[in-house]
Amino acid sequence: MRSKPNQAQEDIMIKDLQRVIQLNDLQAREILNQTQWNLQKATNYILDIQKSGIKIEEQFKKYATKQSLVIDENGISQFCKELEIDLMDPVILYISYIFKSETMGIYTKFDFLYGFTILKVQSTSELKKVLKRLKDDLNNNQEIQKSVYKYCFDFTKQKNRKDIELRFAQGLWETLLTNTFPIMKQFLKYQIQEKDQKHISRDTYYMVWEFCVQIGEDLSKYDYKNGAWPTFIDGFYLYMFPNHKQ
Amino acid sequence: MNKKSEYTFEQQKQSQQKLQSIHQQCQIATKKIRQGLLEGGSIKMQNQEIMGIFNDIYKLTEDAGKNQNSQNQIKVKSGESIEEQLINYFKGFLQEFITDIYQKFNEFKDEKESVLYIVSKTYHDYKAYSYWLYKMFSYLDIFAMPQIHTNLSSTSLKLFKEGYFDKCNKLILNTILQFIQETRKNGILLNKQIKQLIQLFSVMGSKEVELKHMKEVGEYDYVCKKQQDASIFYKDQFQSHLLQETQKYYKEEIDDKQKFTTPEFINWGNSIFKLELDMCIECYPKSQLVIENKLKMMLVKDQASRLINSPTGVGYMLQYDRTEELKQLFLYILRSKECISHLAKAYQNYFEQQGQIINNSIEQEQQQQKDGRQPHEAELYFTRILEIMEIAQNILKQQLYDEPEIQKSYSGAFMCVINKNEKSPMWLAIYTDIIIRSEKGVNEMETDKRLSKIVSLFQLLYQRDVFFRHYQKFLSNRLLNQQIQNLQLEKQLLQKFKGETGTNVLTQLSSMINDIEQSNRFASDQQISKNTKFDLNVFLLSQGCWPITTILDNIIKPPQIQNVLENYEKLYLVKHNGRILTWCLNMGQGELIYKIQTEKYYLNVNTIQMVAFLQFNKKDSFTIKDFLDMTKIDKIDLENSLIPFVCMKIISREKQDIEEFTDDNEVLKLNLGFSNRAKKMKLLPNQKMQPKRANKVKEQNQEELQQMEQLNKQREFVVDSQLVRLMKSKKTIKHHELLENCQSMISIFKPDVLFIKKRIENLIERDYIRRDEKDWNIYHYQN
């Protein structure tokens, strides 16, 4: 067996897998990773999920629109309602992360099948029971936080673009970061001032996380002169300390 | 056994006698020496006398040595060996002397002059005394002393230290310090005798010495074998006190002199340095360095900032041309090199201020004299800047010895001034143009001087790309005007710019010059001007290299012009097949001969004007519509071209002279009654003979904006390519390193950190580079 396929080979295998069942790149990649890029094993895994997922599929149908094969925003708000969580609750982003859902506002059938299987639950009511654990994870485990945070960039991003709109980024920062990192409240205020920037690049978005973790409240650690911070964050620093501008 | 002991006893007795005789001889000798010393003359000792004692000791110890070998030990009566006894004799004689001199010292110790005298005298005597004694006993040094790990000289020193010096060193020290103090107060070195006293301190610490007699000067001295011991003692016992005193003394003095003006203080300081140096060299050379450092610290370093920035400091000196004082100040500050930065800063500040005054004054004057055709503000500005730069340069050279740090301040100051003025890049281009235009006929030396001045201004400029954009326009005008054209000069200057910016950047400009050379060569090769009646001079301009935005190739030319141009085209295309020629009629100039009323007038016009005006060969009047149809000249160009004719009354029109051609049916008529005294006339389109167009200003602004945008794009491109080049060669690089390298490599303008950072972000987004996963201060190049 090939020990480690290259990028092109990976892409082909992902395509192959997607022929078996409709799933997105993220999911395909994740499953192939789990099965050491053995296409046969991966296919079997998917078929297993499908076989054992009849009950989950029923759940899916409950929220899905009649004509469409996906759950749209209405379905999601219904889903949230039954989970008794707010639509803006960060945990829903974590759930999307577990589902490896690709586009915001839409859940596909495989999202449900895959996600529920991973969480080892069969229904929304069962999912509700593990919800507390998920929330704890999200609040206390920085690794998970980071993964969810990074995932959300792609989740929010439109397919033909490389960056995300500032307002979406702000939404994410507010939902995911303000609770853990109070400095982000100031950060969001600064952005009201900043009018030139309309989009946030992946690098800037990722670096905001680094900023929170490494600098946090103590801005004296911030190295404006020599640090490789993106200019957007530099701007925030100058907003806080206008005197430091040279 | 018995016999043996008898023998030894006999021997002991003999040795004892010998010892005694040696002792007696020595006593006689020492008395003589003392007598000699008392009289103050040189010591007269017979060599024989000394040698006698030496020989006796030699023999005695030799015998004793033999016996020592045959028998284990020979004890003298008191349990001491012969050597030990001899050593004791030696010590005894010394101690006797020491007791004497210490007594003398005690008699005189109340008065510092006498202390000084007595100590130096007795020390000298002791050395002399020890020396002669040493001569007598010197055999012991070879035979006996090594066994007890010392030598005679060291013993002599040790005894002196213990018996004399240790008892009175405090007093000696105080005496020395008092004398130094007095010297400082009087400003002149009074008594060199303290040197001897200080000598004591530099010798007393050593454990191993050799006593030497310098016959030429009649001096005796201990020579230290191990400097380290001696110098530690010297530092502890003398130097530290001296330094303390020095510091105390000058602290008060300096406090006292705070009211001095800078030059006064420097004079005083210099005199102090001189005096102290004299004292060091004369009395305590070993401490010269530390004393000097201390003084530098107190008199220069601690005072530098005050001296430089005081009301009589650098600013004052520069303003009132007190060059000599400045020089003195500089030399004074130079004693402590790190303080030069203060001076450099003051120098920079002063010239920055002066420059700023020029910056401001030009702006104000500009408002005052708007219409008076004074020299161009750019000329005014740079003439003044150059003047003050020359002043600064002269001072730097003559008074400040071209000190490197101040050199930096020099460029720093003017860089700041010139770049603060937003118009500098454009003005420098204008100024250069003015200089070059006035350059014809001036001798080469002068030209070279002027050019290097322009280059020195250019060196200071940040926004060189803006400068070149303007420069290109002026260059183009100069090159296309045969009267001003000076290819040699242009090349020379361009070469100099190239040297400053590195190659590559100025290809457009050099190809412009190249074009002209080529055109001239082509013209002379083909002898075009001679072939035709029509005097034609064509410039072949490479497309894209010249600041030409409009190419008016679709204009219908009158046959006279058309034929000539076609002819030229043919000739050219034979030589250079496959090239495309288009005519820029708006760029060309020519002279028309206009015959009317038996008079000949020479009209200086551009080619479009020529095309338009030649229409009047057909008939005497046209409507504007006719003109537009016949020539296909743009309406605005037509206005610009023909209104000068109207203004000069060559053509008459129905409406006001300077008014837009709004009515296509308006008729333009040849003024048949035209006459003018001037036979040569310049009719080229100019600002004054143009209708005021409302949207023109807007257009200009827009154009300006567009150009700025273009410039910005260019800069982005320059930075991007530099960044990628760096990343490509280094693969992995730290953020600040990348930043610095990038800044230093771009010479055509000065990108700020923010600008570069934005470009880095852009490159990350375009996947040229990526951040390191762990250390986000590091970038990797993405292949």
Side-chain angles (χ1 to χ4, degrees):
Chain A
M1 279 303 291
R2 288 159 301 185
S3 57
K4 202 167 183 258
N6 62 26
Q7 189 69 44
Q9 287 164 336
E10 280 182 18
D11 286 347
I12 292 170
M13 285 168 91
I14 288 169
K15 286 265 148 59
D16 284 345
L17 203 60
Q18 280 166 342
R19 242 174 260 142
V20 180
I21 192 169
Q22 213 172 22
L23 79 173
N24 64 38
D25 290 3
L26 274 174
Q27 290 154 348
R29 186 173 289 278
E30 183 67 29
I31 291 166
L32 280 163
N33 255 337
Q34 299 267 312
T35 55
Q36 281 90 38
W37 292 88
N38 183 326
L39 194 60
Q40 191 56 47
K41 278 188 194 164
T43 315
N44 288 342
Y45 180 78
I46 291 171
L47 293 175
D48 279 352
I49 290 179
Q50 214 173 9
K51 236 184 266 167
S52 61
I54 300 163
K55 209 177 165 198
I56 304 170
E57 232 169 290
E58 275 170 26
Q59 293 286 325
F60 175 76
K61 277 178 190 147
K62 210 166 80 186
Y63 305 113
T65 42
K66 271 171 198 150
Q67 59 278 70
S68 155
L69 291 168
V70 294
I71 300 175
D72 66 3
E73 276 160 35
N74 290 331
I76 290 174
S77 64
Q78 180 65 29
F79 179 56
C80 286
K81 214 176 196 175
E82 285 183 26
L83 286 174
E84 289 175 6
I85 53 170
D86 193 72
L87 253 177
M88 296 302 287
D89 195 308
V91 83
I92 193 73
L93 291 171
Y94 187 27
I95 290 171
S96 295
Y97 168 70
I98 293 167
F99 282 14
K100 296 273 177 290
S101 170
E102 202 174 30
T103 328
M104 200 188 245
I106 289 171
Y107 283 134
T108 64
K109 191 163 85 181
F110 192 78
D111 288 351
F112 256 59
L113 278 172
Y114 178 73
F116 275 62
T117 314
I118 291 280
L119 287 171
K120 298 198 178 72
V121 293
Q122 294 281 318
S123 64
T124 317
S125 48
E126 278 181 54
L127 176 62
K128 212 168 118 187
K129 282 174 198 155
V130 297
L131 211 55
K132 194 184 170 308
R133 181 170 61 82
L134 294 182
K135 277 186 178 174
D136 281 352
D137 278 354
L138 188 60
N139 285 332
N140 301 324
N141 188 331
Q142 209 168 62
E143 275 310 305
I144 290 176
Q145 261 179 21
K146 186 175 174 181
S147 306
V148 173
Y149 178 80
K150 285 193 166 181
Y151 157 80
C152 281
F153 183 83
D154 292 293
F155 185 54
T156 318
K157 190 175 73 71
Q158 283 174 322
K159 269 204 165 152
N160 54 355
R161 284 201 69 101
K162 285 191 155 183
D163 47 16
I164 59 174
E165 277 183 51
L166 178 61
R167 58 192 177 95
F168 288 137
Q170 279 168 336
L172 291 172
W173 287 329
E174 189 160 9
T175 331
L176 289 170
L177 300 180
T178 37
N179 282 334
T180 329
F181 306 105
I183 190 79
M184 290 312 285
K185 283 176 191 146
Q186 296 282 340
F187 195 73
L188 289 167
K189 263 189 215 159
Y190 145 71
Q191 288 151 28
I192 296 165
Q193 284 207 332
E194 185 72 28
K195 291 199 171 76
D196 298 339
Q197 196 106 9
K198 292 275 188 307
H199 289 90
I200 295 295
S201 72
R202 179 185 298 274
D203 182 57
T204 305
Y205 181 81
Y206 282 10
M207 287 302 280
V208 167
W209 172 264
E210 295 295 332
F211 174 79
C212 287
V213 174
Q214 299 196 20
I215 305 295
E217 306 305 303
D218 183 12
L219 281 174
S220 65
K221 278 191 282 183
Y222 191 85
D223 186 355
Y224 169 62
K225 251 186 171 169
N226 296 317
W229 296 108
T231 47
F232 185 69
I233 303 177
D234 276 342
F236 170 61
Y237 179 73
L238 291 179
Y239 163 79
M240 298 295 282
F241 300 102
N243 302 338
H244 285 224
K245 202 163 193 166
Q246 282 155 339
Chain B
M1 191 70 187
N2 203 17
K3 206 177 181 183
K4 243 180 195 175
S5 67
E6 212 171 289
Y7 168 73
T8 47
F9 180 74
E10 190 61 26
Q11 264 210 328
Q12 265 186 0
K13 215 174 156 189
Q14 266 182 19
S15 327
Q16 208 60 42
Q17 278 169 357
K18 276 183 191 165
L19 272 174
Q20 233 139 46
S21 106
I22 289 171
H23 194 247
Q24 270 168 7
Q25 283 180 51
C26 283
Q27 251 170 349
I28 297 162
T30 51
K31 251 181 202 159
K32 263 192 183 173
I33 299 171
R34 284 175 151 203
Q35 193 60 36
L37 290 171
L38 210 62
E39 284 162 7
S42 60
I43 293 145
K44 284 164 203 138
M45 290 282 285
Q46 297 289 328
N47 226 7
Q48 272 177 317
E49 215 168 334
I50 291 170
M51 282 317 285
I53 296 170
F54 177 82
N55 278 336
D56 285 348
I57 292 173
Y58 172 70
K59 273 183 202 145
L60 185 63
T61 45
E62 193 80 335
D63 289 349
K66 270 180 200 156
N67 292 337
Q68 213 169 24
N69 282 344
S70 56
Q71 289 165 300
N72 276 343
Q73 257 190 346
I74 301 170
K75 292 280 173 192
V76 196
K77 61 170 177 193
S78 55
E80 283 176 325
S81 68
I82 291 171
E83 301 89 58
E84 278 168 344
Q85 222 162 29
L86 282 170
I87 293 170
N88 281 340
Y89 285 171
F90 179 72
K91 285 184 181 172
F93 286 124
L94 289 174
Q95 249 146 5
E96 216 174 286
F97 193 84
I98 290 168
T99 323
D100 258 18
I101 55 175
Y102 184 61
Q103 221 164 15
K104 265 188 208 157
F105 172 79
N106 273 335
E107 284 167 29
F108 291 101
K109 69 178 176 188
D110 296 328
E111 212 191 337
K112 62 178 192 294
E113 268 86 10
S114 359
V115 169
L116 181 61
Y117 174 76
I118 204 75
V119 172
S120 55
K121 169 90 175 94
T122 48
Y123 178 49
H124 171 265
D125 289 355
Y126 179 75
K127 280 189 289 187
Y129 181 76
S130 311
Y131 177 76
W132 292 108
L133 211 54
Y134 158 74
K135 277 270 169 187
M136 300 170 205
F137 284 82
S138 64
Y139 186 69
L140 287 178
D141 253 358
I142 302 163
F143 183 72
M145 297 312 275
Q147 283 177 13
I148 49 171
H149 305 295
T150 179
N151 60 26
L152 291 173
S153 303
S154 307
T155 313
S156 131
L157 184 72
K158 197 178 162 209
L159 289 176
F160 183 74
K161 183 168 181 286
E162 282 164 1
Y164 185 87
F165 181 76
D166 282 353
K167 288 181 190 160
C168 55
N169 71 348
K170 285 263 155 57
L171 193 65
I172 296 174
L173 180 69
N174 278 337
T175 311
I176 298 171
L177 292 177
Q178 269 177 27
F179 271 101
I180 292 175
Q181 197 84 332
E182 238 165 64
T183 306
R184 282 176 178 152
K185 271 186 191 141
N186 294 317
I188 189 157
L189 186 58
L190 291 172
N191 204 329
K192 288 179 185 171
Q193 254 176 323
I194 55 169
K195 189 180 172 183
Q196 255 80 41
L197 271 61
I198 294 160
Q199 188 62 29
L200 276 173
F201 284 94
S202 64
V203 167
M204 286 305 149
S206 46
K207 304 239 158 55
E208 208 175 305
V209 291
E210 197 180 329
L211 190 54
K212 286 210 166 137
H213 181 206
M214 287 156 285
K215 285 188 181 119
E216 304 84 36
V217 284
E219 292 276 338
Y220 305 86
D221 229 331
Y222 291 107
V223 177
C224 305
K225 291 270 179 62
K226 280 181 189 159
Q227 283 296 337
Q228 209 186 352
D229 292 335
S231 77
I232 287 172
F233 183 85
Y234 174 79
K235 276 180 193 159
D236 281 358
Q237 299 296 318
F238 175 69
Q239 187 170 287
S240 64
H241 297 283
L242 175 65
L243 276 180
Q244 214 177 349
E245 280 297 308
T246 310
Q247 180 164 13
K248 208 175 119 199
Y249 178 77
Y250 283 114
K251 192 179 175 306
E252 278 171 20
E253 286 288 298
I254 290 169
D255 285 347
D256 201 39
K257 307 262 183 309
Q258 288 300 300
K259 278 182 199 150
F260 273 23
T261 64
T262 300
E264 278 169 353
F265 191 90
I266 284 168
N267 275 337
W268 175 73
N270 280 333
S271 69
I272 297 297
F273 272 109
K274 194 177 171 304
L275 176 71
E276 291 291 335
L277 189 68
D278 281 353
M279 271 164 44
C280 284
I281 291 171
E282 193 59 51
C283 305
Y284 34 90
K286 280 182 192 163
S287 300
Q288 186 181 339
L289 201 68
V290 279
I291 291 280
E292 243 177 321
N293 284 341
K294 184 99 228 162
L295 289 174
K296 274 180 191 169
M297 177 82 116
M298 295 183 76
L299 287 164
V300 182
K301 203 174 165 199
D302 294 351
Q303 300 296 317
S305 165
R306 186 185 73 85
L307 290 174
I308 288 163
N309 299 317
S310 87
T312 48
V314 170
Y316 174 81
M317 292 172 184
L318 287 171
Q319 194 170 0
Y320 295 103
D321 218 18
R322 307 222 165 199
T323 48
E324 189 51 38
E325 286 176 5
L326 185 65
K327 191 175 176 174
Q328 291 305 326
L329 176 62
F330 171 75
L331 292 175
Y332 187 76
I333 297 294
L334 194 62
R335 288 175 195 273
S336 171
K337 237 188 161 184
E338 69 267 31
C339 294
I340 287 294
S341 61
H342 290 291
L343 191 69
K345 212 170 151 198
Y347 174 89
Q348 180 163 359
N349 276 345
Y350 175 78
F351 284 107
E352 254 177 50
Q353 270 170 21
Q354 294 299 308
Q356 202 51 45
I357 290 171
I358 297 178
N359 276 356
N360 296 337
S361 73
I362 293 287
E363 260 165 48
Q364 281 160 10
E365 273 172 47
Q366 197 188 331
Q367 287 160 0
Q368 282 167 13
Q369 32 168 278
K370 232 173 187 169
D371 29 32
R373 258 281 171 203
Q374 291 281 322
H376 192 279
E377 54 198 11
E379 193 182 355
L380 217 60
Y381 178 69
F382 280 112
T383 318
R384 283 187 199 171
I385 290 281
L386 280 172
E387 264 167 30
I388 186 172
M389 274 172 79
E390 203 175 321
I391 293 171
Q393 182 69 255
N394 279 342
I395 286 171
L396 177 61
K397 271 210 182 104
Q398 282 160 21
Q399 274 79 38
L400 306 176
Y401 296 85
D402 266 335
E403 210 283 328
E405 199 165 338
I406 305 179
Q407 253 173 14
K408 266 186 222 154
S409 297
Y410 167 78
S411 16
F414 291 105
M415 218 177 248
C416 168
V417 168
I418 287 178
N419 290 304
K420 245 185 198 166
N421 183 353
E422 276 178 18
K423 288 177 184 155
S424 283
M426 181 173 81
W427 279 3
L428 184 59
I430 296 172
Y431 180 68
T432 312
D433 189 55
I434 293 170
I435 293 291
I436 293 178
R437 276 169 192 268
S438 65
E439 216 41 51
K440 276 223 149 173
V442 183
N443 72 41
E444 242 172 72
M445 286 278 285
E446 192 63 24
T447 311
D448 212 50
K449 228 177 180 176
R450 285 181 163 194
L451 289 193
S452 48
K453 269 184 188 165
I454 287 173
V455 174
S456 71
L457 288 170
F458 175 77
Q459 283 169 341
L460 301 173
L461 205 63
Y462 288 161
Q463 302 196 329
R464 294 171 177 178
D465 47 355
V466 181
F467 166 77
F468 280 126
R469 216 185 58 208
H470 293 287
Y471 185 79
Q472 190 187 25
K473 274 185 228 153
F474 290 112
L475 178 65
S476 144
N477 286 341
R478 289 197 298 270
L479 290 176
L480 296 179
N481 186 334
Q482 269 185 316
Q483 263 97 55
I484 308 164
Q485 209 183 79
N486 185 346
L487 292 178
Q488 207 51 44
L489 187 76
E490 299 288 2
K491 266 193 197 166
Q492 221 178 322
L493 188 57
L494 205 59
Q495 202 56 42
K496 287 191 176 174
F497 288 148
K498 259 188 196 167
E500 289 304 317
T501 50
T503 46
N504 268 340
V505 195
L506 308 171
T507 43
Q508 279 194 352
L509 300 181
S510 42
S511 65
M512 278 166 75
I513 297 176
N514 205 20
D515 279 350
I516 301 299
E517 280 185 317
Q518 293 267 329
S519 322
N520 290 348
R521 202 172 305 141
F522 184 73
S524 68
D525 283 356
Q526 302 295 318
Q527 298 191 315
I528 285 170
S529 46
K530 286 179 187 166
N531 275 348
T532 52
K533 261 191 194 171
F534 194 95
D535 194 10
L536 175 69
N537 189 4
V538 179
F539 292 123
L540 294 157
L541 315 181
S542 307
Q543 198 160 18
C545 293
W546 293 71
I548 297 166
T549 41
T550 45
I551 295 172
L552 306 168
D553 201 37
N554 53 349
I555 288 171
I556 300 168
K557 288 149 276 209
Q560 299 98 312
I561 297 178
Q562 182 71 19
N563 291 341
V564 179
L565 296 189
E566 271 174 14
N567 191 21
Y568 185 91
E569 253 174 81
K570 257 184 227 155
L571 278 173
Y572 182 78
L573 291 177
V574 167
K575 207 114 194 253
H576 304 278
N577 198 11
R579 294 200 187 168
I580 298 168
L581 281 182
T582 47
W583 297 96
C584 297
L585 296 177
N586 50 334
M587 305 294 292
Q589 280 187 20
E591 207 170 48
L592 277 179
I593 301 174
Y594 178 43
K595 289 183 197 161
I596 187 163
Q597 295 202 339
T598 70
E599 283 284 4
K600 257 191 192 175
Y601 296 96
Y602 298 90
L603 309 180
N604 187 0
V605 293
N606 74 20
T607 324
I608 292 187
Q609 287 178 305
M610 207 184 273
V611 170
F613 192 65
L614 282 173
Q615 302 300 326
F616 284 108
N617 275 342
K618 294 178 195 160
K619 53 183 194 173
D620 290 346
S621 67
F622 295 95
T623 63
I624 287 171
K625 194 170 180 305
D626 288 339
F627 268 113
L628 293 173
D629 289 346
M630 286 187 307
T631 60
K632 293 263 180 347
I633 294 174
D634 189 62
K635 200 171 181 182
I636 288 173
D637 285 328
L638 192 69
E639 277 172 16
N640 288 346
S641 304
L642 289 180
I643 285 178
F645 287 90
V646 176
C647 292
M648 299 304 284
K649 310 288 181 223
I650 298 171
I651 297 172
S652 53
R653 67 181 283 196
E654 293 160 2
K655 295 191 178 174
Q656 288 290 311
D657 284 359
I658 301 176
E659 199 176 311
E660 285 176 66
F661 290 174
T662 39
D663 181 5
D664 277 1
N665 293 320
E666 191 190 342
V667 177
L668 299 177
K669 252 195 254 164
L670 216 49
N671 177 10
L672 296 171
F674 171 77
S675 86
N676 196 326
R677 255 197 272 162
K679 298 296 176 247
K680 275 201 169 187
M681 270 181 265
K682 222 178 186 178
L683 292 167
L684 294 171
N686 64 52
Q687 289 282 328
K688 277 187 193 167
M689 299 181 187
Q690 268 172 26
K692 286 198 176 70
R693 301 184 186 92
N695 51 1
K696 204 182 159 191
V697 179
K698 221 192 232 169
E699 234 170 71
Q700 256 177 347
N701 281 345
Q702 216 154 27
E703 205 172 307
E704 191 77 0
L705 266 173
Q706 229 170 7
Q707 278 190 336
M708 279 314 289
E709 211 170 294
Q710 207 186 339
L711 188 76
N712 214 35
K713 278 251 164 67
Q714 254 173 25
R715 288 181 171 185
E716 283 179 0
F717 184 73
V718 170
V719 172
D720 282 2
S721 61
Q722 208 53 261
L723 286 173
V724 170
R725 184 180 302 167
L726 279 166
M727 289 306 300
K728 217 169 186 168
S729 67
K730 299 246 165 115
K731 300 291 182 220
T732 295
I733 192 170
K734 280 199 165 165
H735 171 75
H736 68 97
E737 211 177 315
L738 181 64
L739 215 66
E740 279 162 19
N741 277 331
C742 181
Q743 265 179 326
S744 68
M745 282 175 79
I746 293 172
S747 58
I748 192 80
F749 66 100
K750 210 177 152 111
D752 58 10
V753 174
L754 192 71
F755 192 84
I756 300 177
K757 260 187 154 180
K758 283 215 159 124
R759 296 323 297 161
I760 294 177
E761 277 169 42
N762 185 279
L763 288 177
I764 291 176
E765 215 170 329
R766 287 193 283 157
D767 291 330
Y768 278 94
I769 50 182
R770 67 177 169 81
R771 276 184 208 275
D772 189 87
E773 275 102 11
K774 288 191 185 91
D775 185 349
W776 41 267
N777 267 318
I778 292 175
Y779 302 117
H780 298 284
Y781 183 66
Q782 301 268 64
N783 287 320

